[in-house]
Amino acid sequence: ALHAMAVTGEVTQPSYSIKLPTHIGDVVAGLHTAAGGDGSHACSGDMLLEALIGCAGVTLAAVATAMRITLNKAEISASGDLDFRGTMGVDPVASVGFENLRLHFDLDTDAPQESVEKLISLTEKYCVIYQTLSKQNTITTSAGPR
């Protein structure tokens, strides 16, 4: 069964920011320094990569436990290419959004290579954020009072 999830943020125009409520308190997101931000606010692009790492990490740990794989140490990094000329409207041909997302696993484990490959494959399969970003999705937009 589908479970609807929703988040609402409050925009502040003069500072080009939005206050996002989280379970650990508000996070204020604003412009990346490459887009004119002063670095005092969270960047939504960074938050996207952080969400990917967070989801992949939790999924990796759960799958490793199910596969009885001990992870002595596990680090995950995410990166992607972003052309700020597109999002800033400077170059109408430049793309808007990340391209070539990369997820890297640095794992210290005694598990055989084939088990590690299966672990990563299952992590990709069951990670919600990975799956959301790796396939096209439908987004609908509406305006007006709810």
Side-chain angles (χ1 to χ4, degrees):
L2 291 178
H3 177 80
M5 297 176 66
V7 177
T8 301
E10 184 179 334
V11 174
T12 303
Q13 190 173 16
S15 68
Y16 306 113
S17 64
I18 183 165
K19 182 171 61 171
L20 305 166
T22 75
H23 70 285
I24 57 170
D26 292 340
V27 171
V28 179
L31 294 174
H32 187 277
T33 54
D38 64 9
S40 65
H41 297 122
C43 168
S44 298
D46 290 340
M47 292 166 62
L48 179 79
L49 297 176
E50 292 161 357
L52 177 58
I53 292 171
C55 186
V58 170
T59 306
L60 177 81
V63 173
T65 300
M67 292 179 67
R68 294 191 169 94
I69 293 176
T70 299
L71 299 171
N72 301 317
K73 185 176 180 184
E75 291 185 352
I76 304 172
S77 59
S79 59
D81 304 323
L82 186 62
D83 189 340
F84 282 94
R85 296 173 306 160
T87 192
M88 297 294 295
V90 174
D91 183 349
V93 179
S95 64
V96 177
F98 278 103
E99 294 180 2
N100 305 313
L101 289 175
R102 297 172 296 279
L103 192 60
H104 178 77
F105 295 85
D106 185 3
L107 306 178
D108 177 7
T109 179
D110 295 330
Q113 184 61 31
E114 61 196 29
S115 295
V116 171
E117 290 172 5
K118 183 69 172 176
L119 170 62
I120 291 173
S121 173
L122 290 173
T123 298
E124 293 170 349
K125 180 178 180 179
Y126 295 114
C127 175
V128 171
I129 305 299
Y130 183 100
Q131 288 300 317
T132 301
L133 294 174
S134 67
K135 61 185 174 191
Q136 274 196 317
N137 207 328
T138 301
I139 301 176
T140 58
T141 303
S142 61
R146 279 184 268 156

